[in-house]
Every structure is written in structure tokens, then in C-alpha cells.
Amino acid sequence: MKKMLLAALAACLLFPGLSKAQGRHEINLFIGGYNSQYASANTNFVGPYNDLYAIYEYQHTYETGPVYTLSYGYAPIRWISVGAQVNYGKVGVSTWRAVDNSWSSDKMENISVLPQVKFHIPSSRHFRLYGKLALGATLSSSLTAKQTVKAAYEWVPIGFEWAGQFFYGTAELATGTVIQGGRIGIGFRF
């Protein structure tokens, strides 16, 4: 999937005029960032124990991969579109305690569904700026814990689309409970 996404992005850069018409519907596929649960949870101190009680505390390390996003939008007017996005990501958790050298590991999968509003900033046809706000819920499940549902949000202060009107590349800076950092992807407008 990563190779296909990179090939599509390269096509957007090399062939900006792949189509002429601009429709009201758009579908975007993204890969990027790291899971926000990783950013907020990876805070335990790992290393030499400065206090005696630290050997009795459980220590955690977290590993994460990219977050995959599929979004749909409909533009009733040129400068705004409404729609929804679905996000998928994994977080691996390793836990140990120094006093008895006990280890355990778990994998958490997160699926988020967020309705979104996207604001397009007036710009040229082959380079378009936008901002986005999405609010919804995240379902988290793991091997050892029960499923949980939490409120989720995402804010994209700046994103941009480049190349054609039908097939284009897109990148954005995102923050929120779903993803931290940036992501890059491809889009289809019809």
C-alpha cells in the first residue's frame, strides 16, 4: 500500500494536468503521523532508579506505526466541504517491573470515526490551501483490556493540495487525539 501511495504522489507531481473538471465530491487517502495515544502515554521514566520505590513501579514503553486515514467530503459551496473521516492505527505496549523482572506486552488497535468540516482558502487551481476540524469518537481494543470508546477530535490548521483537479496530492499538519504531526496522501475529486 505504501508503494502504491508513493507512486500516486509521484504521478501528481510529474503530471499536474491529469484532468480538467472539478467536482463537488472528494475522497482522500492518507498515511502519516503517529498515534496520539503514543504521544500522551510514553511518559514513564526508564533508566537508572533514583528512588527505591521506582523498582516497584511498572514501567512502560510504547511503539506505534503510522495512522491510515480515509476521508470523504462534499462541497455544497466552493469554499467549504463537509464529510467524515475514518482513521486506523496500532499501538504496542510493553510493561515490566524491576523488582521481580516481570514482563508483559499488549497491542491496541484504534479506529476513529469523525465528521469533519473543511474550509478552503481561495488560491490557484493547482495549489489549494485549507484548514479542517473534525469531531467524533475513537474505539480502542486490545488483547488484554476491554473495548473503550472515547471522544476524539482533530484540528488541521494548514493543509494543501497540489497538481490536478481530479487526481491530486495532499499534505497537512494535524493535531488532536487521533494523530500528532503531519500526513501525506492522494485525493480524487469527482
Side-chain angles (χ1 to χ4, degrees), residues 1-10 29-31 68 184-186:
M1 167 131 177
K2 290 179 186 178
K3 289 181 182 179
M4 187 173 76
L5 186 60
L6 290 174
L9 286 171
L29 299 168
F30 291 99
I31 184 172
Y68 300 100
I184 191 164
I186 57 173

Side-chain angles (χ1 to χ4, degrees), residues 66 145 174 190:
F190 55 96

Side-chain angles (χ1 to χ4, degrees), residues 14-154:
L14 296 174
F15 307 106
L18 287 176
S19 76
K20 308 282 188 254
Q22 182 172 351
R24 291 181 175 243
H25 303 273
E26 65 182 20
I27 295 175
N28 296 302
L29 299 168
F30 291 99
I31 184 172
Y34 55 84
N35 199 308
S36 287
Q37 287 186 341
Y38 169 77
S40 63
N42 203 11
T43 58
N44 283 6
F45 176 75
V46 178
Y49 302 106
N50 295 332
D51 294 322
L52 183 59
Y53 75 88
I55 66 171
Y56 297 99
E57 294 287 320
Y58 286 100
Q59 305 294 317
H60 308 281
T61 59
Y62 296 86
E63 295 177 11
T64 185
V67 176
Y68 300 100
T69 303
L70 171 67
S71 73
Y72 166 79
Y74 172 74
I77 54 179
R78 272 184 43 188
W79 58 275
I80 193 167
S81 67
V82 293
Q85 68 181 30
V86 177
N87 303 289
Y88 173 77
K90 289 183 183 180
V91 176
V93 181
S94 297
T95 305
W96 79 93
R97 192 166 69 171
V99 69
D100 58 0
N101 200 25
S102 62
W103 286 83
S104 66
S105 63
D106 193 9
K107 291 195 181 200
M108 214 176 351
E109 294 183 337
N110 302 311
I111 298 175
S112 303
V113 178
L114 296 97
Q116 68 183 14
V117 177
K118 190 174 178 181
F119 302 97
H120 300 274
I121 300 167
S123 51
S124 72
R125 292 182 61 188
H126 296 292
F127 186 81
R128 294 174 300 278
L129 296 171
Y130 65 87
K132 182 168 65 174
L133 180 63
L135 302 169
T138 297
L139 171 67
S140 297
S141 64
S142 67
L143 299 172
T144 59
K146 62 181 181 176
Q147 293 183 345
T148 60
V149 177
K150 298 178 188 173
Y153 75 93
E154 181 178 276

